[in-house]
Amino acid sequence: MGVQPPHFEHKTCESLKKGRKIVVLLLEEMRKLKTERKKQFLEVLYQLQNISTELYGSKGANVYLDENNLTLERLKELQRKFNFKMKRPVD
């Protein structure tokens, strides 16, 4: 997703149970971050679909969520695309 995962030191884990607990907590946090990122993508894609339909009618661009690319770079690219279409004069 373009973000470095949280890191923990193996030395700080006194036991396997403690280490497992840390890993589970980190995994839960990463899942929350992924869910939030997906929500951001879906909102921008929804806006893009609406503006494309408004500008081009039913020929508007079909947009979909590629869950394999949820990077901030891709999100910003979609936001720029949306902003460009918002500023574009209607023919």
Side-chain angles (χ1 to χ4, degrees), residues 31-81:
R31 285 182 178 147
K32 287 177 189 177
L33 291 171
K34 183 178 179 182
T35 299
E36 184 59 36
R37 181 75 56 87
K38 281 175 65 173
K39 287 179 186 179
Q40 292 173 325
F41 267 86
L42 289 172
E43 179 63 30
V44 172
L45 290 170
Y46 175 77
Q47 292 171 341
L48 266 173
Q49 183 68 48
N50 284 343
I51 194 72
S52 293
T53 301
E54 188 177 309
L55 290 173
Y56 308 113
S58 61
K59 295 180 182 180
N62 290 331
V63 291
Y64 66 96
L65 178 61
D66 177 7
E67 291 193 35
N68 293 316
N69 188 0
L70 296 176
T71 62
L72 283 175
E73 182 179 317
R74 176 71 176 141
L75 180 60
K76 289 177 183 179
E77 176 187 328
L78 289 171
Q79 289 171 333
R80 282 191 301 269
K81 193 174 192 180

